[in-house]
């Protein structure tokens, strides 16, 4: 292997544009992060004032809003525009919020494993301990008859063994290495990377930054404009129900989703369908190193 071991350097100018179905210029998916946060453990916070306290009603309650209210508001929008979510989901959600899992199954969402809980970052494991952790994680998915084919680590975290261990457990693509606008092959287990965006990620835009919701809309639509001009890329819109599911931001999120899903040159799809399409192309990996 060369480069950073997991994938080789490959400038976008030396790769052909991906041909999307029906001649669409951009593939779009909405990465819906569905997360469980354990009580008393620090995590993504609206305010640093109480973030180190236990309990922390201010921030824990803010995060809980997403599963109690925000995600249901977002589901109504997705139903309106016919969008299947790419559900980036902690395995603890399966037991903690079964109604969300049931609603996603009814809507034929694409499921991605997202660690056990966002209170535990996926780092610092020995390979032996990580093997046990992943076996427990996927066993929770199998109990409800689901096999995630994608992976995003909590806070995009991995160990050096994670890709190999995931490939052994049926995962086909990762989102963690957000280094490109197009899918690209990895050097491990026949895996690929599907683009994920930090620049239009609602956590990056809003948490810790005094960003107006209208600016979020402007950023997302600017991203769409450039990707449409260039063609062959993926527009990933990562969202969290406790962030854009809040009423103060939802109006602009709704505007973004309506604009993208109504554009005639956008393939509105899921991260899994993007991965499957790319894996069927000559640029996809063929080895299972």
């Amino acid at each position: 292997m060369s480069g950073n071991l997991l994938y080789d350097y490959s400038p976008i100018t030396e790769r052909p544009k991906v041909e999307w179905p029906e001649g669409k210029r951009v593939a779009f998916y909405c990465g819906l992060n569905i997360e469980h946060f354990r009580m008393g453990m620090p995590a993504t916070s609206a305010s640093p004032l109480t973030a180190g306290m236990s309990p922390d009603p201010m921030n824990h309650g803010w995060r809980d809003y997403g599963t109690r209210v925000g995600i249901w508001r977002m589901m109504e929008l997705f139903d309106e525009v016919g969008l299947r979510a790419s559900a980036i989901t902690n395995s603890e959600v399966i037991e903690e919020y079964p109604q969300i899992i049931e609603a996603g199954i009814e809507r034929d969402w694409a499921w991605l494993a997202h660690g056990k809980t966002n209170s535990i970052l996926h780092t610092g494991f020995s390979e032996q301990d990580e093997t046990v952790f992943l076996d427990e994680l996927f066993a929770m998915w199998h109990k409800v008859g689901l096999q995630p084919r994608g992976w995003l680590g909590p806070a995009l975290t991995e160990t050096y063994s994670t890709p190999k261990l995931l490939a052994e457990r049926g995962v086909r693509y990762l989102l963690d290495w957000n280094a490109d606008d197009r899918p690209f092959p990895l050097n491990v287990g026949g895996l690929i990377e599907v683009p994920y965006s930090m620049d239009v990620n609602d956590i990056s835009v809003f948490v810790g930054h005094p960003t107006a919701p209208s600016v979020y809309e402007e950023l997302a639509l600017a991203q769409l404009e450039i990707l449409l001009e260039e063609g062959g890329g993926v527009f990933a819109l990562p969202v969290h129900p406790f962030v854009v599911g809040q009423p103060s931001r939802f109006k602009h999120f709704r505007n973004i989703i309506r604009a993208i899903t109504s554009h005639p040159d956008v393939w509105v799809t899921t991260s899994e369908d993007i991965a499957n399409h790319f894996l069927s192309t000559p640029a996809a990996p063929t080895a299972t190193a």
Side-chain angles (χ1 to χ4, degrees):
M1 299 180 190
S2 60
N4 70 1
L5 301 183
L6 182 60
Y7 57 89
D8 299 327
Y9 173 64
S10 175
I12 197 167
T13 52
E14 296 180 4
R15 285 177 274 132
K17 293 181 180 180
V18 182
E19 300 294 331
W20 301 121
E22 300 179 359
K24 304 292 187 179
R25 293 190 59 78
V26 170
F28 169 75
Y29 77 90
C30 186
L32 178 62
N33 286 262
I34 311 172
E35 297 162 342
H36 174 243
F37 297 89
R38 296 181 180 178
M39 180 69 75
M41 298 179 69
T44 306
S45 298
S47 170
L49 185 64
T50 60
M53 299 180 182
S54 181
D56 177 14
M58 181 190 299
N59 289 307
H60 191 88
W62 174 70
R63 293 187 292 265
D64 258 0
Y65 183 93
T67 54
R68 296 173 65 88
V69 181
I71 194 168
W72 304 101
R73 180 177 287 132
M74 297 168 78
M75 268 189 229
E76 289 184 2
L77 173 61
F78 295 162
D79 289 347
E80 173 200 317
V81 300
L83 175 65
R84 291 172 57 217
S86 298
I88 302 166
T89 308
N90 296 153
S91 60
E92 289 187 2
V93 168
I94 296 167
E95 295 180 348
E96 298 289 337
Y97 319 118
Q99 297 95 326
I100 294 175
I101 301 297
E102 291 168 7
I105 290 173
E106 289 174 3
R107 289 163 171 79
D108 192 28
W109 287 353
W111 300 97
L112 298 90
H114 190 37
K116 283 187 179 180
T117 166
N118 262 48
S119 298
I120 300 175
L121 300 186
H122 200 91
T123 188
F125 291 102
S126 68
E127 185 167 335
Q128 181 177 1
D129 288 344
E130 185 175 12
T131 297
V132 173
F133 190 87
L134 287 173
D135 283 342
E136 293 172 350
L137 183 160
F138 281 100
M140 296 175 73
W141 283 103
H142 297 158
K143 284 182 181 179
V144 291
L146 296 172
Q147 170 57 56
R149 298 298 181 187
W151 166 271
L152 180 77
L156 286 72
T157 51
E158 296 183 7
T159 75
Y160 286 107
S161 299
T162 303
K164 173 178 71 77
L165 295 175
L166 289 172
E168 292 170 355
R169 284 154 183 79
V171 170
R172 304 293 304 281
Y173 66 97
L174 309 180
L175 301 184
D176 294 326
W177 302 84
N178 54 117
D180 214 299
D181 287 332
R182 301 175 190 164
F184 59 90
L186 303 177
N187 292 325
V188 176
L191 292 167
I192 66 169
E193 173 74 14
V194 170
Y196 188 81
S197 175
M198 293 308 299
D199 277 44
V200 293
N201 188 315
D202 59 356
I203 292 288
S204 302
V205 173
F206 291 115
V207 178
H209 301 282
T211 306
S214 59
V215 173
Y216 171 59
E217 181 178 344
E218 182 180 349
L219 287 171
L221 296 183
Q223 180 122 329
L224 175 64
E225 179 180 347
I226 296 301
L227 291 174
L228 282 168
E229 287 178 7
E230 295 175 347
V234 174
F235 186 168
L237 185 68
V239 293
H240 300 73
F242 58 89
V243 180
V244 295
Q246 300 280 352
S248 60
R249 301 182 181 118
F250 183 74
K251 169 186 171 182
H252 294 279
F253 172 66
R254 182 175 61 193
N255 290 345
I256 293 166
I257 291 296
R258 286 175 173 170
I260 295 171
T261 58
S262 64
H263 198 290
D265 289 327
V266 175
W267 179 33
V268 179
T269 186
T270 66
S271 56
E272 185 161 337
D273 285 347
I274 291 169
N276 289 339
H277 181 82
F278 182 74
L279 284 165
S280 70
T281 69
T286 55
T288 55

